[in-house]
Amino acid sequence: MENINFDEYLRESKHSETLLINQLSLARAESKQNVYKFGFGQSPFPIPEAITEKLIEAAHRKEYMNVQGDLTLRKAIAEFHNEVEGKNWKADRIIVGTGSKILIFCLMSAFKKAEVLLPSPSWVSYDPQGKLAGHPVHWVETRYEDRWRLMPDQLNHFCEQRADRNIPLILVLNYPNNPTGQSYNKEELKALAEVMRKHKVIVIADEIYSLLTYQQDYGSIADYYPEGCVVSSGISKWCGAGGWRLGFHYIPEQLGDNLLNAMIGVASETYSCAPSPIQVAATHAYQNKKLAKDFIDKQTRLLNKISQYCVEQLTKSDVLVHKTEGGFYLFPDFRQYKEKLEKSGITTGEQLTTKIMQDTGIALLPGSAFGMPFESLTARLAFVDFDGGQIFEKNLQDITYPMVEAGILALCDWLEKL
Ligand code: PLP
């Protein structure tokens, strides 16, 4: 029988820079060469044992739970964020899902028609999600000088030149940011909020890293523009539980019941509910505030120290890089090496990260994976190649992180030899 060919009807699948870097690092590892794993941004810290024990105890829970999420869990989430982050959340405006990622997709899919706006650089999945939901995706390029953050005048300019301003505009604002590690201070959020209000922008405030903010004087855009902000978060980062797949969205009353119900509708026709044992364990993670706060506090101090080391070394080597404000990432810009790199035939971020991997074994992701122009000589560096369990037991002054140190020094050395 002849093969049926429907390729032209398939959605385009973007070639993944992550895969390319993974293949190269596997090849190096097989030939026993060093690999520095700065490519993949996953929490290096083990989930606290008290929480994993709750999961074991709850393993027998086999029932489907409420599509919106178990009420006890939603109450625990609301209480936790109200106390720790000064929110004013009610459990009935929270929807729980199998990770915050699918909820972002549910939210985008809840709109029959919308446009999506992303500052570049932005996390890899927003753009494909917007397209899968059938929406045009627009990018606004941010600048190194602005610490890669969206400025109010850029947002205003984008909104004013839209062809049809009646179509809902969904902006995804993520802070602390993946890939840049940057956040907005309160004054900056206020100024952005004014523009958002003027243009009635729907904001997905992706706060998945907010609890891993190093200095707690950063706010949330939802403090200044509550009526238009859906807050997205979960246990993947602060609790180190990415593979547990549990996240939530907070949908403010002002955005209406229809939006919440539309999201519940998409959720019920796709994932049905988050796994019951995970919901039970996550409830304990949020209820046990002391444990959570201590865990968070220690992680942020450790991450801050390691990030500072990387920034100091890279800055000495004339790499442009901003100090991380939260999360696991740095976004070095190698533009000062442009001419030297050109002489070696390197003119794009992807060529740069490929060559760095081939020559040194350091895995980085090019800025273009995050919506930056191809010629941008930027990359994401996840400084998490260390044993989080071991480091966690030590005093801050005693910690060592040999792979991070060796990797950063190898990178500086590579640059010097250009
Ligand atoms: N948003 C950002 C910026 C992320 O980096 C990630 C995970 O890497 C997510 C959302 C998705 O998190 P979750 O595990 O809750 O789906």
Side-chain angles (χ1 to χ4, degrees), residues 6 45 108 113 144 162 196 218 225 230 262-263 265 269 281 299 304 317 322 365 370 379 389 410 418:
F6 41 61
F45 301 106
M108 290 186 183
K113 195 166 180 175
Y144 168 80
R162 290 178 75 205
M196 291 163 175
Y218 286 91
Y225 182 50
V230 172
M263 280 186 75
E269 304 306 351
Q299 288 180 77
N304 192 10
S317 287
H322 299 291
L365 288 180
F370 305 93
L418 274 176

Side-chain angles (χ1 to χ4, degrees), residues 61-120:
R61 298 289 296 264
K62 56 174 211 145
E63 73 280 16
Y64 286 101
M65 281 183 166
N66 184 339
V67 177
Q68 196 179 343
D70 181 52
L71 183 59
T72 319
L73 170 60
R74 286 186 280 127
K75 278 185 180 156
I77 292 172
E79 270 172 32
F80 182 84
H81 283 272
N82 291 348
E83 182 179 314
V84 176
E85 293 191 320
K87 309 271 195 211
N88 187 16
W89 287 352
K90 295 187 196 99
D92 64 351
R93 302 302 303 186
I94 289 175
I95 174 169
V96 172
T98 49
S100 61
K101 185 178 190 170
I102 189 71
L103 288 168
I104 297 173
F105 181 64
C106 288
L107 179 60
M108 290 186 183
S109 307
F111 286 85
K112 275 192 283 202
K113 195 166 180 175
E115 292 181 29
V116 173
L117 177 63
L118 304 175
S120 73

Side-chain angles (χ1 to χ4, degrees), residues 2-146:
E2 245 183 77
N3 281 346
I4 304 170
N5 192 338
F6 41 61
D7 286 3
E8 66 178 294
Y9 295 98
L10 292 177
R11 288 186 198 277
E12 237 177 84
S13 147
K14 227 178 80 180
H15 105 127
S16 159
E17 280 92 348
T18 328
L19 278 183
L20 178 69
I21 296 288
N22 274 350
Q23 274 166 8
L24 290 172
S25 39
L26 280 179
R28 273 184 74 95
E30 270 169 25
S31 60
K32 302 263 178 302
Q33 289 175 289
N34 264 346
V35 176
Y36 304 99
K37 299 187 205 101
F38 299 160
F40 195 43
Q42 167 155 255
S43 168
F45 301 106
I47 301 168
E49 227 174 272
I51 306 300
T52 53
E53 274 164 15
K54 294 293 177 193
L55 179 59
I56 294 167
E57 280 171 27
H60 66 282
R61 298 289 296 264
K62 56 174 211 145
E63 73 280 16
Y64 286 101
M65 281 183 166
N66 184 339
V67 177
Q68 196 179 343
D70 181 52
L71 183 59
T72 319
L73 170 60
R74 286 186 280 127
K75 278 185 180 156
I77 292 172
E79 270 172 32
F80 182 84
H81 283 272
N82 291 348
E83 182 179 314
V84 176
E85 293 191 320
K87 309 271 195 211
N88 187 16
W89 287 352
K90 295 187 196 99
D92 64 351
R93 302 302 303 186
I94 289 175
I95 174 169
V96 172
T98 49
S100 61
K101 185 178 190 170
I102 189 71
L103 288 168
I104 297 173
F105 181 64
C106 288
L107 179 60
M108 290 186 183
S109 307
F111 286 85
K112 275 192 283 202
K113 195 166 180 175
E115 292 181 29
V116 173
L117 177 63
L118 304 175
S120 73
S122 267
W123 182 49
V124 289
S125 293
Y126 307 135
D127 172 85
Q129 287 198 344
K131 288 176 182 153
L132 278 174
H135 308 316
V137 178
H138 306 281
W139 289 87
V140 172
E141 208 180 309
T142 65
R143 295 177 284 252
Y144 168 80
E145 295 71 21
D146 296 326

Side-chain angles (χ1 to χ4, degrees), residues 311-372:
V311 171
E312 274 165 30
Q313 297 303 324
L314 291 169
T315 308
K316 272 191 217 159
S317 287
D318 215 10
V319 176
L320 301 182
V321 64
H322 299 291
K323 274 204 295 206
T324 311
E325 294 176 323
F328 323 128
Y329 308 105
L330 289 168
F331 198 63
D333 186 328
F334 299 88
R335 72 176 76 170
Q336 315 277 50
Y337 287 88
K338 189 170 190 289
E339 278 174 25
K340 286 185 181 167
L341 290 167
E342 266 169 14
K343 284 191 190 130
S344 311
I346 297 169
T347 55
T348 69
E350 198 170 341
Q351 288 168 346
L352 173 67
T353 51
T354 305
K355 188 79 172 106
I356 290 176
M357 168 48 90
Q358 283 166 341
D359 290 353
T360 66
I362 300 164
L364 301 171
L365 288 180
S368 53
F370 305 93
M372 293 294 285

Side-chain angles (χ1 to χ4, degrees), residues 44-46 384-393 400-404:
F45 301 106
V384 286
D385 192 357
F386 59 86
D387 183 338
Q390 199 199 51
I391 260 190
F392 207 79
E393 300 307 318
T400 55
Y401 34 93
M403 288 308 278
V404 175

